[in-house]
Amino acid sequence: MSRASVSPAGVKAATYDAVVVGAGIVGAACADECVREGMRVAVVDGDVIGGGATAAGMGHIVVMDDSDPQFALTRYSQQLWQELRPALPADVEYEQCGTIWVAADEQEMAEVHRKQDYYSQRGVPVEVLGQDALQSTEPNLRKALAGGLLVHEDGVLYPPCAARFLIERAQAGGATIGLGCSVSQIGNGLVRLDDGRELSAGAIINAAGNGAASLTPGLATKKRKGHLIITDRYPGFVRHQLVELGYLKSAHSTTGDSVAFNVQPRRTGQILIGSSRQYDVEDKPVDNPILLRMLQRAGEYMPGLAQMSTIRVWTGFRAATPDQLPLIGPWPGDSTVFLATGHEGLGITTSLASARILVDQIAGRRAAIPIEPYLPSRVSSEHAYV
Ligand SMILES: Cc1cc2nc3c(=O)[nH]c(=O)nc-3n(C[C@H](O)[C@H](O)[C@H](O)COP(=O)(O)OP(=O)(O)OC[C@H]3O[C@@H](n4cnc5c(N)ncnc54)[C@H](O)[C@@H]3O)c2cc1C
């Protein structure tokens, strides 16, 4: 995944201002932000750059409004992606294609209007599409859907290349990168690698995704399995990221299995088809009944998808918190440990803002958005998963 020159030997058992554990999109963004802050930085990952949930993600850069804190973080981060856009290499495939939240009936149109009000009041450009406008904007959707909400500034990108870009930029700014370096323990200013080496750090940033909880006892996140399908090339068949409004029910559920219509046009002309959510499933293999449900759901909204060749199916695990907000900030009880994890299905979107507000905290600066909703101190035994 990486073109950066990195190796286990590349990480010296030295003292750093910050050691980032995890080179997924969140750790990569944290490393880049720390370097921009003028810190001496090391990044260590037991695997490769962007090989965890980041490699499995859909790369939808989406503003969400489940809660005010979720809106604040997604919108801020989307604006940071837009600022970064001119620097992104072509292989990151950033496209501002917009999202259409598709309403199947009049009840869902009421939700379209609620979302329109919420976004408009907060300066996000949106447009309500009636039945005819939806049909002409996305002619391959099934006829007689009620309409939708077009969110113009949403986009898509290719997450592993975005992570690689951020790591390479951090490395160009002086960061040391160690891949194939599993971390066995963190705390009290020390990061211990599996091979016994120890790195000292003023700040240890635990951005290990689903591996974060085993490094920070008391932290509880839960794995949430997802499936994605990618088709062969059908340029122009889908023009925007299309998501059924029922997706929100799927994303909100904290138990059980769910699927929702969620398709994305790639620059290659391929179509990425999602999505599923499953708790309490730890194994990676594709679950055929879930896959079938996803394809059926996609076919109900876009009948032409049934004729398409699919070339790959994969699964990945989102790291979920009980209140569906990430954990960004100091870990109570150890002033050297900071968390940047628990991003569930929004970590690609929110990586840049997460890194920015985390480094603001390390630097003792006021962040651009209120940080309190994301502070790890809110996690207590009363809220933790058991
Ligand atoms: C199917 C699916 C679809 C998704 N779609 C979207 C989307 O459209 N938009 C969006 O915003 N988000 C999406 N997401 C969510 C997004 O992919 C994640 O939130 C994000 O990738 C999390 O990034 P991360 O860096 O925290 O974790 P990861 O990418 O998992 O990175 C963690 C890294 O830590 C390393 N690590 C773990 N333990 C250790 C250890 N002990 N020592 C050393 N290294 C360690 C791992 O090797 C890994 O590289 C989706 C996720 C899935 C599964």
Side-chain angles (χ1 to χ4, degrees), residues 47-353:
D47 195 357
V48 295
I49 297 169
T54 298
M58 209 175 193
H60 186 199
I61 304 298
V62 55
V63 175
M64 296 282 286
D65 64 344
D66 292 356
S67 64
D68 289 343
Q70 188 193 57
F71 172 82
L73 194 67
T74 53
R75 179 62 172 158
Y76 181 35
S77 212
Q78 184 181 70
Q79 288 168 332
L80 294 177
W81 279 114
Q82 286 170 341
E83 279 172 27
L84 192 58
R85 193 175 171 185
L88 295 173
D91 64 6
V92 174
E93 296 181 6
Y94 191 105
E95 299 276 359
Q96 195 172 300
C97 59
T99 303
I100 300 179
W101 292 93
V102 178
D105 52 29
E106 286 313 312
Q107 196 186 358
E108 290 188 354
M109 274 312 275
E111 175 62 9
V112 161
H113 289 292
R114 188 205 60 77
K115 275 175 104 63
Q116 177 200 22
D117 289 347
Y118 187 93
Y119 285 160
S120 303
Q121 283 160 14
R122 289 160 182 80
V124 180
V126 293
E127 187 182 338
V128 173
L129 305 176
Q131 189 171 75
D132 294 345
L134 178 66
Q135 196 60 56
S136 59
T137 309
E138 289 288 350
N140 292 308
L141 279 171
R142 87 160 188 259
K143 309 275 177 284
L145 289 162
L149 186 74
L150 171 55
V151 185
H152 290 283
E153 293 185 2
D154 285 357
V156 304
L157 54 70
Y158 184 52
C161 289
R164 192 215 62 231
F165 163 75
L166 291 165
I167 288 284
E168 285 182 349
R169 202 165 78 149
Q171 195 180 24
T176 301
I177 318 294
L179 301 182
C181 290
S182 265
V183 172
S184 55
Q185 215 180 340
I186 60 173
N188 297 318
L190 284 179
V191 174
R192 180 167 301 130
L193 306 184
D194 270 359
D195 64 11
R197 275 180 294 162
E198 285 185 342
L199 316 183
S200 306
I204 301 164
I205 300 176
N206 183 354
N210 282 306
S214 64
L215 293 174
T216 300
L219 162 65
T221 56
K222 207 166 171 180
K223 284 184 168 181
R224 208 168 182 196
K225 187 174 179 178
H227 289 69
L228 289 177
I229 304 160
I230 194 153
T231 70
D232 209 340
R233 296 171 188 233
Y234 301 94
F237 189 86
V238 179
R239 301 168 182 173
H240 303 80
Q241 176 107 16
L242 301 177
V243 193
E244 65 163 293
L245 274 162
Y247 171 88
L248 299 172
K249 287 177 219 141
S250 161
H252 291 169
S253 127
T254 50
T255 54
D257 300 348
S258 56
V259 299
F261 168 67
N262 184 355
V263 298
Q264 179 182 99
R266 303 297 315 176
R267 188 179 283 175
T268 54
Q270 291 169 288
I271 302 165
L272 203 47
I273 305 174
S275 59
S276 68
R277 280 181 154 81
Q278 290 172 280
Y279 277 124
D280 303 319
V281 185
E282 297 276 324
D283 59 328
K284 259 191 120 172
V286 168
D287 180 331
N288 284 324
I290 286 283
L291 200 61
L292 192 62
R293 277 177 62 191
M294 271 170 65
L295 285 168
Q296 277 169 347
R297 192 70 181 163
E300 282 164 26
Y301 278 80
M302 278 200 129
L305 288 173
Q307 314 307 320
M308 295 186 171
S309 308
T310 59
I311 58 173
R312 197 161 79 86
V313 178
W314 67 90
T315 64
F317 293 90
R318 309 165 179 97
T321 61
D323 62 6
Q324 304 186 351
L325 288 172
L327 299 157
I328 309 164
W331 178 244
D334 188 333
S335 61
T336 65
V337 173
F338 293 79
L339 300 187
T341 191
H343 291 78
E344 215 269 358
L346 287 170
I348 312 299
T349 302
T350 56
S351 52
L352 297 186

